[in-house]
Amino acid sequence: MAEPQILVLNLNEIVEEYTAGDEEQRRAEESRIEQAKEAEDNEAFISDEAYAFEEENLSNKGFIGERGFGAFISPFIEIIEKRGWNLFYKHKPSGYAVVVREFYSNMIDMKEDAIFVRGVWVPMGHERINEVLQIKDSKNGSRFRRLLDEPNYDKIVKFLTVGKGKWSSTNKNPHESIHRGDLIEEAKVWFYFIASVIIPSKHLSTVRENEAILLYALLKGYKFDVGKIIESSIKSFHKIVRKGLIPHPATITRLCILAGVKGIWAEEETCPKVSPLTLTGVIKGPTSRKMKEMEIIELAGEPQGEEDEQVRMEQILEETQLPVEDEKQPRK
């Protein structure tokens, strides 16, 4: 028996025709359509399951703020320009908490790498992420692929620490992490950026295996697809959402706004503000007291006026120079 056709949910004009198939699957599809209609009315969740997911897993979670670089950029401008990160490296607005939680909740019913948010299907595949963040030349290079297949762990730790560091091991992983304090200064700067924007983590005292590999690739000039890494990070958090804080709030907010998601932004709860990376703070590293302060993420951001929010929206649209999408269905 041929598989029933999966209907593409267009919330303006729900497709009502479907191929004949298993009765149980037909009823399930009808239920999904009804839930999609209800979601269009409340402009929040695509299904009861998505609403329950938010209530159970996300409603009380904080966020990992995406800390971009501040004014000290001159020592690292060569890497930024070579990689085409002229927008990506910058410190970003903090994002909108409710929109981000709705985005993650509705990933339960993701269609073709697009997420339903307030009546709009928001594309979030790696190509769209690269486009929105204006990341150029984003394909994984052959050297990066070889590094992932067969990482030379001794070479990585020696390069990142000039021979003074070593891998910390566990029973499960002989290359668990490297102590942050052993990194050379340039590596410390980029580690903070990676742990904030690309592979978010609130644990900054150690450099985990995947962070160390990516850090090595970045400093060696290997080409890698940032969008794929961020897409994987977003999907991974959704799968293990019970652990950790919510990552990528600024990037997800940008994806939603540029897809045409609407909101009364002056009244929206904002994610907590985070300060940009500064050379002095990164090189010296936080004291134990400051480290604790960095890891305490408050759940509510500071309210901002309507004028400030308008500036925020204009900044996002002007920086990306992308048209706001009016599409209500997934991009193919």
Side-chain angles (χ1 to χ4, degrees):
M1 180 183 298
E3 290 291 328
Q5 180 181 350
I6 301 299
L7 300 183
V8 176
L9 300 182
N10 183 325
L11 299 181
N12 286 331
E13 184 178 357
I14 297 295
V15 179
E16 295 181 350
E17 295 182 359
Y18 50 84
T19 58
D22 183 83
E23 182 67 19
E24 183 177 347
Q25 291 186 351
R26 184 184 67 80
R27 287 198 300 267
E29 187 61 36
E30 286 181 342
S31 175
R32 286 175 60 84
I33 291 174
E34 289 302 316
Q35 290 178 351
K37 289 179 178 178
E38 293 175 3
E40 182 180 22
D41 293 335
N42 63 36
E43 295 189 338
F45 302 102
I46 193 170
S47 65
D48 294 339
E49 289 81 3
Y51 175 77
F53 185 91
E54 196 274 345
E55 286 289 303
E56 180 181 350
N57 299 299
L58 299 175
S59 59
N60 294 317
K61 277 190 178 293
F63 301 85
I64 300 178
E66 295 173 68
R67 301 178 66 198
F69 287 140
F72 71 89
I73 200 61
S74 57
F76 311 105
I77 195 68
E78 182 178 350
I79 289 179
I80 290 167
E81 289 184 342
K82 184 177 293 187
R83 291 187 176 273
W85 287 2
N86 299 60
L87 170 65
F88 183 53
Y89 86 90
K90 293 181 180 178
H91 192 61
K92 300 169 181 63
S94 56
Y96 293 103
V98 176
V99 171
V100 174
R101 291 191 183 109
E102 290 173 5
F103 179 95
Y104 276 110
S105 300
N106 288 330
M107 285 184 72
I108 284 179
D109 292 283
M110 184 166 57
K111 291 281 189 178
E112 300 176 7
D113 279 337
I115 314 298
F116 176 90
V117 182
R118 301 185 182 183
V120 176
W121 286 96
V122 179
M124 59 82 64
H126 65 97
E127 292 181 350
R128 177 59 175 173
I129 292 173
N130 286 327
E131 181 184 18
V132 165
L133 296 177
Q134 291 188 358
I135 297 173
K136 303 174 183 178
D137 196 17
S138 58
K139 295 182 180 179
N140 289 333
S142 58
R143 292 189 296 175
F144 183 67
R145 292 195 296 270
R146 286 197 298 269
L147 177 65
L148 294 180
D149 291 339
E150 298 180 359
N152 187 326
Y153 291 103
D154 291 339
K155 191 174 182 179
I156 290 171
V157 71
K158 183 177 181 180
F159 176 79
L160 294 178
T161 68
V162 196
K164 67 178 182 180
K166 62 179 182 179
W167 288 100
S168 297
S169 61
T170 64
N171 292 334
K172 295 183 178 180
N173 187 358
H175 309 103
E176 179 73 18
S177 63
I178 301 170
H179 190 266
R180 185 206 68 236
D182 292 335
L183 296 177
I184 59 176
E185 292 186 349
E186 186 178 6
K188 285 181 182 179
V189 173
W190 286 108
F191 163 64
Y192 272 79
F193 184 75
I194 288 172
S196 176
V197 177
I198 304 180
I199 312 175
S201 173
K202 70 185 183 72
H203 301 292
L204 302 177
S205 60
T206 58
V207 185
R208 297 170 298 177
E209 177 187 356
N210 59 345
E211 294 167 337
I213 291 174
L214 188 60
L215 183 58
Y216 177 84
L218 190 155
L219 294 175
K220 294 290 283 186
Y222 296 177
K223 294 180 180 179
F224 53 84
D225 191 331
V226 174
K228 277 190 176 181
I229 298 171
I230 293 177
E231 179 188 3
S232 176
S233 174
I234 291 172
K235 290 179 177 178
S236 295
F237 172 75
H238 184 263
K239 291 179 181 178
I240 56 171
V241 70
R242 291 175 178 81
K243 297 182 179 180
L245 303 175
I246 301 174
H248 305 290
T251 297
I252 288 172
T253 296
R254 187 178 293 267
L255 286 168
C256 290
I257 290 173
L258 291 172
V261 172
K262 305 298 182 183
I264 304 174
W265 302 117
E267 299 178 8
E268 292 270 356
E269 173 194 357
T270 57
C271 302
K273 290 182 178 180
V274 290
S275 59
L277 296 170
T278 61
L279 187 57
T280 303
V282 169
I283 297 301
K284 290 183 178 180
T287 63
S288 57
R289 179 179 176 182
K290 286 185 178 180
M291 177 67 78
K292 292 179 181 178
E293 291 174 352
M294 290 174 66
E295 294 186 358
I296 297 175
I297 308 294
E298 298 181 3
L299 297 180
E302 298 179 3
Q304 298 184 13
E306 185 173 354
E307 183 177 349
D308 291 337
E309 293 307 318
Q310 183 61 32
V311 170
R312 179 195 297 259
M313 294 304 102
E314 290 176 356
Q315 177 187 356
I316 289 176
L317 294 173
E318 287 177 3
E319 284 183 345
T320 53
Q321 296 179 343
L322 293 171
V324 175
E325 296 186 358
D326 294 324
E327 299 175 46
K328 301 288 183 172
Q329 57 187 6
R331 292 172 48 153
K332 295 183 179 180

